[in-house]
Amino acid sequence: MELHEGHELSEPVRKAWERSLTNGRAALTRRSLLRTAGLGALAVGALTACGIPAAEGNTGAASGTEDDSATDKTVNFCNWPLYIDVDDKDKNRRPTLDEFTKATGIQVKYTEGVNDNVEFFGKIRPQLAAGQQTGYDLVVLTDWMAARIIRLGWAEKLDPARLPNAFANLEQRFRSPDWDPGRAYSYPWAGVQTMIAYNRKATGGKPVTSITQLLTDPSLKGRVTFLSEMRDSIGLTLLDMGKRPENFTADDFDAALARLQKGVDSGQIRRFTGNDYGDELAKGDIAACAAWGGDLVQMRIDNPDIEYVIPEAGYITATDNMLVPRKARHLRNAEALIDWYYRPRVAAELAAGITFVPPVIGTKEELEKIDKEAAANPLIVPDANMVAKGHPFRALSEAEDTAFEGKFAKLIGA
């Protein structure tokens, strides 16, 4: 593949992510809680026992760019809005970043510039394609876009020797996605879960436990919504069909699409939504839906009638990921910051602030010290049974992405 091949998005894919920016997963409201906690010394296990192979040939500046980390103690970190812990008295303070600077001497220039994967990609693509610096040393992008940047050769390879906490503490289920085997280029910032939710009052107390029930239960007709994110709605349907989103075929996709089309044609499915399903579910205007775990944490606090269900067939998982853009001038400083967030106590502070799934071993024990309710919430810290039922949606080729998003757009009328 040529370096620049495939850097333009097809029209179906672009439209899909315009929907996401407006009200989909890219527009999720990330609740910021105020938590602070001191940082203690942590023992790190041997790297060879981690199960992640070392990145070969990385001497600190894989793209040949001079690394200024030693002489310029800064790192330019770009993230999504409301996706980090903040101080309750001073919203401009971010305790985990402040503690990082205190411990390392590295100043963090933190910006909230990622409002949407496609929009941000369009912003940095010209520099990446031209082999120039983007101005960012570390960015957070959703797995499918991180996969795209890595595939195009526009991410720096990370040095395992400078990531001892990350190598030791990354949860096994996040260690080797098909789009970045061995995590040579990226590490998860947080996990996202897609499952079923229902309003107990709206269903008359009747549980809703499967996608089949969403699609066929006559008592729910016209009061069911699915998500306008293709990977979530198709993924849940594939699981209900006994297929694995990790390795499905084009025929499997078409079969899942046909099941959803039948639900639309029969009037069972009311519509496809972004995160605007929340108000309708809370009011009882819809009885049940596909939903995101990050939303449900807050919704269940506000409305005790809202229940969530992990289908027996399983649920969909995704990650937002830290990666270093090609030609970044502070690679080592960026690696230090990645590694910082893989200290369990730091990960716990972050998890308490954003209420999304932490990818770090030992987070629950540390979270219990600062927020027992969050530590006990499986939507934030999934238990072993819940973890076992999580399935990622496999990486798509450019051709598959275009074809699948085009078909799905017709289904949902987008």
Side-chain angles (χ1 to χ4, degrees):
M1 175 185 292
E2 293 294 323
L3 181 63
H4 307 306
E5 179 184 346
H7 62 258
E8 296 291 351
L9 292 175
S10 65
E11 190 63 15
V13 174
R14 179 171 296 281
K15 286 183 177 179
W17 283 94
E18 286 175 353
R19 295 195 302 271
S20 181
L21 172 62
T22 303
N23 63 359
R25 185 154 66 197
L28 284 174
T29 299
R30 296 176 165 100
R31 183 169 61 101
S32 293
L33 301 178
L34 288 215
R35 303 285 188 233
T36 57
L39 299 173
L42 299 168
V44 179
L47 298 185
T48 55
C50 300
I52 304 180
E56 297 179 358
N58 183 11
T59 60
S63 60
T65 302
E66 182 180 351
D67 191 348
D68 295 335
S69 294
T71 56
D72 185 7
K73 305 293 284 185
T74 62
V75 59
N76 297 292
F77 182 19
C78 191
N79 201 350
W80 299 75
L82 305 178
Y83 211 14
I84 199 167
D85 54 300
V86 296
D87 187 270
D88 54 348
K89 296 179 180 179
D90 182 355
K91 300 297 184 181
N92 293 317
R93 285 195 63 247
R94 304 174 179 94
T96 55
L97 290 182
D98 294 342
E99 291 162 2
F100 170 76
T101 296
K102 183 177 180 180
T104 65
I106 299 171
Q107 297 290 328
V108 182
K109 297 179 180 178
Y110 185 82
T111 54
E112 297 183 335
V114 186
N115 291 305
D116 167 68
N117 286 283
V118 167
E119 178 187 61
F120 187 75
F121 180 71
K123 179 179 179 180
I124 64 176
R125 180 188 59 77
Q127 290 82 13
L128 291 170
Q132 299 171 351
Q133 300 163 24
T134 65
Y136 302 113
D137 301 308
L138 189 66
V139 299
V140 175
L141 296 170
T142 306
D143 44 19
W144 79 275
M145 181 55 82
R148 185 184 191 90
I149 288 177
I150 292 169
R151 186 172 66 246
L152 289 168
W154 291 346
E156 291 285 358
K157 184 172 283 189
L158 304 174
D159 187 340
R162 292 196 288 269
L163 297 164
N165 290 298
F167 273 55
N169 297 328
L170 176 62
E171 279 199 32
Q172 184 63 41
R173 62 197 170 112
F174 297 116
R175 283 182 177 264
S176 195
D178 61 358
W179 49 271
D180 186 13
R183 288 290 181 183
Y185 296 92
S186 70
Y187 272 87
W189 176 255
V192 180
Q193 303 163 321
T194 308
M195 57 195 67
I196 291 173
Y198 67 94
N199 185 314
R200 188 171 55 240
K201 185 178 290 186
T203 65
K206 183 178 184 180
V208 180
T209 60
S210 70
I211 296 299
T212 291
Q213 187 178 355
L214 282 178
L215 292 173
T216 62
D217 188 334
S219 71
L220 302 176
K221 186 172 183 178
R223 299 192 297 153
V224 168
T225 62
F226 277 77
L227 292 165
S228 59
E229 302 277 358
M230 180 269 287
R231 289 164 176 80
D232 293 316
S233 289
I234 292 291
L236 285 174
T237 307
L238 285 168
L239 285 168
D240 193 71
M241 295 164 53
K243 304 295 183 179
R244 294 176 64 85
E246 301 95 318
N247 57 14
F248 67 93
T249 66
D251 288 342
D252 294 334
F253 179 92
D254 288 342
L257 193 77
R259 286 192 74 197
L260 292 172
Q261 185 68 63
K262 184 176 180 180
V264 171
D265 294 343
S266 68
Q268 183 77 11
I269 298 175
R270 180 170 179 163
R271 67 188 184 99
F272 291 82
T273 75
N275 63 357
D276 51 329
Y277 65 82
D279 288 340
E280 291 182 274
L281 183 63
K283 294 175 182 177
D285 293 340
I286 59 173
C289 62
W292 290 303
D295 285 344
L296 295 174
V297 173
Q298 183 63 49
M299 290 170 62
R300 283 167 52 80
I301 293 173
D302 297 336
N303 188 334
D305 289 323
I306 293 177
E307 300 282 356
Y308 73 91
V309 172
I310 303 300
E312 186 62 34
Y315 66 102
I316 297 297
T317 62
T319 53
D320 290 327
N321 309 273
M322 296 177 280
L323 57 81
V324 179
R326 200 76 161 168
K327 299 289 184 178
R329 294 302 297 264
H330 304 96
L331 172 58
R332 292 192 179 195
N333 291 345
E335 289 170 327
L337 188 54
I338 292 172
D339 200 56
W340 180 258
Y341 279 99
Y342 276 81
R343 297 172 181 249
R345 188 168 296 185
V346 179
E349 191 172 346
L350 178 65
I354 66 175
T355 66
F356 277 70
V357 178
V360 182
I361 295 170
T363 302
K364 182 175 183 179
E365 292 77 10
E366 295 297 332
L367 193 53
E368 286 173 344
K369 300 175 184 178
I370 59 176
D371 192 333
K372 292 185 181 298
E373 185 177 349
N377 190 335
L379 292 175
I380 300 173
V381 185
D383 57 28
N385 181 60
M386 187 169 174
V387 168
K389 292 182 177 179
H391 296 266
F393 196 93
R394 71 170 173 83
L396 302 178
S397 68
E398 297 290 333
E400 286 177 324
D401 207 3
T402 296
F404 293 170
E405 287 288 7
K407 291 178 179 180
F408 189 73
K410 290 180 181 178
L411 167 71
I412 69 177

